[in-house]
Amino acid sequence: MTGRWGDIATYAALALVALFFLGPLAWLVSLALRTPAEVYQGAAAFIPAHPTGANFVQILSDAAFGQYLWNGVKLSVGGASVATLCAAPAAWAFARLDFAGRAGLLWAILAVQMISPLVILIPLYRYFDALGLLDSHAAVIAVYGAIGIPLTVWLLSAAFARIPRELEEAARLDGHSRLETLVLITLPLAAPALAAAFVLNVVMNWGQFLVPFVLLGSEKSWPISVAIYRFAGSTSASTTQLLAAACLIALLPAIAVFLALQKLLTRALTGGALKG
């Protein structure tokens, strides 16, 4: 009986947490499906009397919105690629090489992940200004990559450590260098972990706001996160439903990717945690 009441309490707590997160999302869906006249009704009509998809059609027919989405995809994928490519050799070194301070350095790298981008944005702004890279996607991709490297190193080092050393030793005996062994043997065997790390970085980059907000000045270079913020600053009751529709459209790619690959992501994250 005690176990049953414990299960009930657990599920009740989880339901409250789910309600806390899903409540605002449900309200966003309600707003996105309303007509302009129904927006004025506020909380009096949670379920729209005349739900419409016209708001989504209007948003998607805007060429500028499509550009914002494409910018978000380009920045997210570019940053994830940089993080994964740079982290893979470092992760292999932590998994395979024995050197002084190895464990402490691995924890220190993970601790860097806890630093908010807000702390370094002003120095980064001045740095990229001096390089003439302000308002360029290259600058944002570089920062995204740097932000994602610590967690990616942690995840991939755990994945590489689970690969039998004998396979790499056999390749070395066949005359392959360490780099060739990494590319030809280790990376293909760790493909699921590499994919999980890449997707995780894409999802995290998709939600980035501060970095592109500070480094990108021209409207044509904004990702969707910055574009929605700018639009929200000038919104009124007559355009609230359009803002809600735009927010939902921006959320869908990240939600879809997570739901499709949640098992892969969970396995990579828990594997890294257990190994660490």
Side-chain angles (χ1 to χ4, degrees):
M1 181 64 70
T2 302
R4 179 177 299 178
W5 282 109
D7 291 340
I8 293 174
T10 300
Y11 283 114
L14 292 175
L16 289 175
V17 173
L19 182 63
F20 178 80
F21 287 102
L22 294 179
L25 183 59
W27 184 253
L28 191 66
V29 173
S30 173
L31 287 174
L33 294 176
R34 298 184 188 190
T35 62
E38 288 180 306
V39 171
Y40 286 97
Q41 297 178 10
F46 177 78
I47 300 178
H50 305 285
T52 176
N55 300 320
F56 296 97
V57 174
Q58 184 173 342
I59 289 295
L60 291 174
S61 62
D62 187 345
F65 189 81
Q67 183 63 45
Y68 300 145
L69 285 175
W70 169 242
N71 289 340
V73 171
K74 183 165 61 172
L75 294 175
S76 299
V77 172
S81 301
V82 170
T84 306
L85 289 174
C86 293
W92 182 87
F94 277 109
R96 288 292 187 254
L97 304 181
D98 294 322
F99 52 89
R102 171 179 166 274
L105 184 57
L106 187 59
W107 279 105
I109 289 177
L110 186 61
V112 174
Q113 190 75 39
M114 310 304 173
I115 300 176
S116 170
L118 184 61
V119 177
I120 58 174
L121 273 180
I122 294 178
L124 282 176
Y125 181 91
R126 300 185 63 179
Y127 177 73
F128 285 117
D129 185 30
L131 293 176
L133 291 177
L134 277 182
D135 198 24
S136 72
H137 284 171
V140 177
I141 288 174
V143 177
Y144 280 3
I147 292 173
I149 285 175
L151 182 59
T152 308
V153 168
W154 184 268
L155 294 176
L156 294 183
S157 63
F160 292 159
R162 292 193 294 269
I163 297 174
R165 289 175 177 265
E166 292 77 10
L167 298 176
E168 296 181 357
E169 292 172 354
R172 295 297 304 277
L173 290 175
D174 288 339
H176 293 293
S177 65
R178 284 180 173 175
L179 179 59
E180 291 173 334
T181 301
L182 173 64
V183 173
L184 298 176
I185 304 298
T186 310
L187 293 183
L189 291 174
L194 288 168
F198 177 80
V199 171
L200 184 62
N201 275 282
V202 169
V203 173
M204 292 192 302
N205 293 341
W206 184 261
Q208 281 282 356
F209 170 75
L210 286 175
V211 173
F213 179 74
V214 171
L215 298 182
L216 299 177
S218 62
E219 183 176 352
K220 65 180 181 180
S221 62
W222 292 345
I224 187 64
S225 57
V226 177
I228 287 179
Y229 172 78
R230 302 282 192 179
F231 180 60
S234 60
T235 191
S236 62
S238 62
T239 56
T240 298
Q241 74 283 357
L242 296 178
L243 175 62
C247 290
L248 277 178
I249 294 172
L251 283 172
L252 286 178
I255 294 175
V257 168
F258 179 79
L259 291 178
L261 301 173
Q262 59 179 323
K263 291 184 178 179
L264 182 66
L265 293 172
T266 301
R267 186 161 58 247
L269 288 172
T270 55
L274 292 173
K275 186 65 182 178

